[in-house]
Amino acid sequence: MDDMLDQLEAIIRDRQRKPKAGSYTNRLLDEGRGKIAQKVGEEAVEVVVAALTQSKSQQIDELADLIYHTLVLMADLDVSLDDLRAKLRERHQPR
């Protein structure tokens, strides 16, 4: 598991199984799907703003936040990166 997204997904899943005091991930999971989805929406807006008005470094920061919060939402929905990979492969099969 050398891919950072896979590592982050594993950390988030581990927090689901074994909550850790003070964990931001656990706080999000405890607040529930509505709050997690709201954070994804907020981060998406911040990505748009960064894309239009900020530096590449700030854009990368905002994109990283969006991906992290999306991974937390995926964990709450019980959707994995492998599920996404399979869907993307399916979408890009020759027709």
Side-chain angles (χ1 to χ4, degrees), residues 6-7 10 12 20 32 42 45 48-50 54-55 70-73 75-76 90:
D6 290 318
Q7 291 177 34
I12 293 166
K20 182 177 178 182
E42 289 170 9
V45 169
V48 171
V49 171
Q54 297 177 351
S55 70
T70 299
L71 286 171
V72 174
L73 181 59
D76 187 68
E90 175 187 313

Side-chain angles (χ1 to χ4, degrees), residues 5 8 17 29 31-33 36 38 45 50 52 57-59 62 68 79 81 84-85 88 94:
L5 290 177
L8 186 54
R17 290 186 302 277
L29 291 167
E31 289 176 341
R33 186 169 295 164
I36 300 166
Q38 178 185 344
V45 169
L52 298 174
S57 175
Q58 291 166 312
Q59 293 163 354
E62 295 303 341
Y68 162 76
V79 172
L81 284 171
L84 289 184
R85 288 181 183 107
L88 292 170

Side-chain angles (χ1 to χ4, degrees), residues 3-92:
D3 181 276
M4 188 61 220
L5 290 177
D6 290 318
Q7 291 177 34
L8 186 54
E9 179 183 49
I11 291 166
I12 293 166
R13 299 287 178 155
D14 186 63
R15 293 288 189 273
Q16 280 184 301
R17 290 186 302 277
K18 297 180 282 185
K20 182 177 178 182
S23 164
Y24 177 65
T25 299
N26 283 124
R27 187 174 60 156
L28 283 173
L29 291 167
D30 290 344
E31 289 176 341
R33 186 169 295 164
K35 180 63 174 179
I36 300 166
Q38 178 185 344
K39 285 299 294 180
V40 171
E42 289 170 9
E43 296 301 339
V45 169
E46 291 176 13
V47 165
V48 171
V49 171
L52 298 174
T53 65
Q54 297 177 351
S55 70
K56 184 168 185 166
S57 175
Q58 291 166 312
Q59 293 163 354
I60 291 168
D61 285 342
E62 295 303 341
L63 286 161
D65 289 346
L66 176 59
I67 289 171
Y68 162 76
H69 286 90
T70 299
L71 286 171
V72 174
L73 181 59
M74 288 170 54
D76 187 68
L77 296 169
D78 195 27
V79 172
S80 70
L81 284 171
D82 286 341
D83 294 330
L84 289 184
R85 288 181 183 107
K87 177 53 71 176
L88 292 170
R89 274 192 293 279
E90 175 187 313
R91 287 181 179 181
H92 293 279

